Amino acid sequence: MASRHTPHGFTPTEARQSRRLLTVIALVSAFFVVELGGAIVADSVVLQADALHLLMDVLALGVSALAMRLAVRRPTPRFTYGLRRAEPVAAIFSSLLVLVTTTLIVIEAIGALHGHAAPRPGVMVVVALMALVVNGLSAWLLHDAIETPHGRGHAHAHGDGHGHAHGHGHAHEHAHGHALNLRGAWLHLLGDTLGAFAALVAALVIRYGGHPAADPIASFVVAAILFYGSLRLLRDATLVLLEAAPRHMPVAAIREVVVGFPGVTEVHDLHVWPLGAGHDAITVHVRTESDDPAFGERLSSHVRDLLEAEYVTVQVEHSSRLGSPSTQTSETSLGPPSRSP
């Protein structure tokens, strides 16, 4: 079967996500200069806050792009699961950066409430509209990449007789393989889009006779949304690093799948943890009275295909007719995904 990985180690879905991210970086970098200049001319606090956040975006998006490259590197003798954890680390960096930016926005807005001169609403409207289009387009590009549907792959097997059955690989083209990392990037862009919208509303309010305080008040609204989103992202990324069982793959559900497999009489030492968002690992010990030497191979393939885990290891304990336990193993592994017909 032909490999569906690109020369950089990306699956087609991951390559598309990477291209989208690089496109967004180019758009944001180019527009930062425009928005900052417009914010200074308009003397708008909310536009300056949005431009500051845009500058932070360039750094955060660059870190996200680097993390994507690291995450698809092949396992090594030192990093035996690869570098999937680079992405939750990047997500934590992004969330902390958003929190710092949010704090700066609030400080600037508080200062603007005390005697700040009224901004130029005409310039604000033009710049805010441009920012809304650019940031909205950038956020949509990333969100569309996160939501890309995923495909299925194939498996091949080989035996080694060492007491466990092991399934692993990249047969599933996880649409959410970089979701946590891209969520961090998307959160930055969402904040910029909301900032641009808030600036537009404030500009229209001031233009049609409203109080100039509408400018800093709009900044508070943006800050509140950013604060909430960054805390959620920080929580999710931290749970990955702490190896918490993924919410979409609860231990009870996995145990039910294993126990329900024909021939399994006992299940213990069941563990599940995320290697990175969308890339999960499962290990389990089972006891069986089956004499089938391929029992462990069949069970690991069943669990892997049903739950779409990237790595599945099954330790099989066979019970003889005399009641003395014995072990017999086979190993299954997933090869590179095949091309869709």
Side-chain angles (χ1 to χ4, degrees), residues 23-65:
T23 299
V24 168
I25 291 175
L27 281 174
V28 170
S29 300
F31 186 68
F32 163 70
V33 179
V34 176
E35 184 171 26
L36 180 61
I40 293 174
V41 172
D43 196 20
S44 167
V45 175
V46 68
L47 277 182
Q48 290 178 22
D50 195 50
L52 173 63
H53 191 211
L54 208 61
L55 178 61
M56 298 293 186
D57 284 353
V58 175
L59 177 59
L61 292 172
V63 171
S64 296

Side-chain angles (χ1 to χ4, degrees), residues 42 50 61 72 96 102 125 133 162 184 205 207 256 267:
D50 195 50
L61 292 172
V72 297
L96 293 177
T102 301
V125 169
V133 172
H162 286 296
V205 169
R207 183 178 181 85
E256 185 177 342
V267 176

Side-chain angles (χ1 to χ4, degrees), residues 8 10 20 37 54 61 87 105 126 153-154 164 220 247 271 275 278 288:
H8 297 292
F10 292 131
R20 286 292 182 91
L54 208 61
L61 292 172
E87 293 190 288
I105 290 174
V126 174
H154 77 288
H164 67 278
F220 289 130
R247 284 182 295 178
H271 302 280
L275 303 174
T288 180

Side-chain angles (χ1 to χ4, degrees), residues 12-243:
T13 294
E14 292 171 332
R16 180 171 179 270
Q17 291 175 334
S18 179
R19 288 195 300 271
R20 286 292 182 91
L21 184 57
L22 292 176
T23 299
V24 168
I25 291 175
L27 281 174
V28 170
S29 300
F31 186 68
F32 163 70
V33 179
V34 176
E35 184 171 26
L36 180 61
I40 293 174
V41 172
D43 196 20
S44 167
V45 175
V46 68
L47 277 182
Q48 290 178 22
D50 195 50
L52 173 63
H53 191 211
L54 208 61
L55 178 61
M56 298 293 186
D57 284 353
V58 175
L59 177 59
L61 292 172
V63 171
S64 296
L66 176 61
M68 287 184 69
R69 295 280 176 174
L70 293 175
V72 297
R73 288 190 173 184
R74 295 185 179 277
T76 67
R78 184 173 186 183
F79 299 100
T80 56
Y81 279 117
L83 293 172
R84 287 287 179 189
R85 293 289 172 85
E87 293 190 288
V89 171
I92 289 176
F93 174 80
S94 292
S95 62
L96 293 177
L97 201 56
V98 171
L99 288 175
V100 170
T101 305
T102 301
T103 302
L104 295 176
I105 290 174
V106 171
I107 292 174
E108 183 70 18
I110 291 175
L113 285 174
H114 299 84
H116 184 76
R120 300 176 180 176
V123 179
M124 277 185 69
V125 169
V126 174
V127 177
L129 280 173
M130 294 173 62
L132 189 61
V133 172
V134 173
N135 295 327
L137 175 62
S138 298
W140 175 81
L141 286 172
L142 278 191
H143 189 268
D144 182 61
I146 295 173
E147 295 300 323
T148 301
H150 65 272
R152 298 290 295 265
H154 77 288
H156 68 273
H158 58 89
D160 65 1
H162 286 296
H164 67 278
H166 180 64
H168 68 277
H170 305 275
H172 303 290
E173 199 178 307
H174 295 269
H176 297 280
H178 300 284
L180 193 63
N181 185 33
L182 291 178
R183 267 182 58 198
W186 180 75
L187 178 62
H188 282 271
L189 295 170
L190 177 62
D192 287 326
T193 304
L194 293 173
F197 180 74
L200 179 60
V201 172
L204 292 174
V205 169
I206 296 171
R207 183 178 181 85
Y208 292 101
H211 197 280
D215 185 32
I217 290 175
S219 298
F220 289 130
V221 175
V222 175
I225 296 173
L226 288 176
F227 181 75
Y228 174 73
S230 61
L231 287 184
R232 286 189 59 190
L233 179 62
L234 185 61
R235 177 202 63 190
D236 292 346
T238 301
L239 287 176
V240 171
L241 293 182
L242 293 177
E243 298 186 343

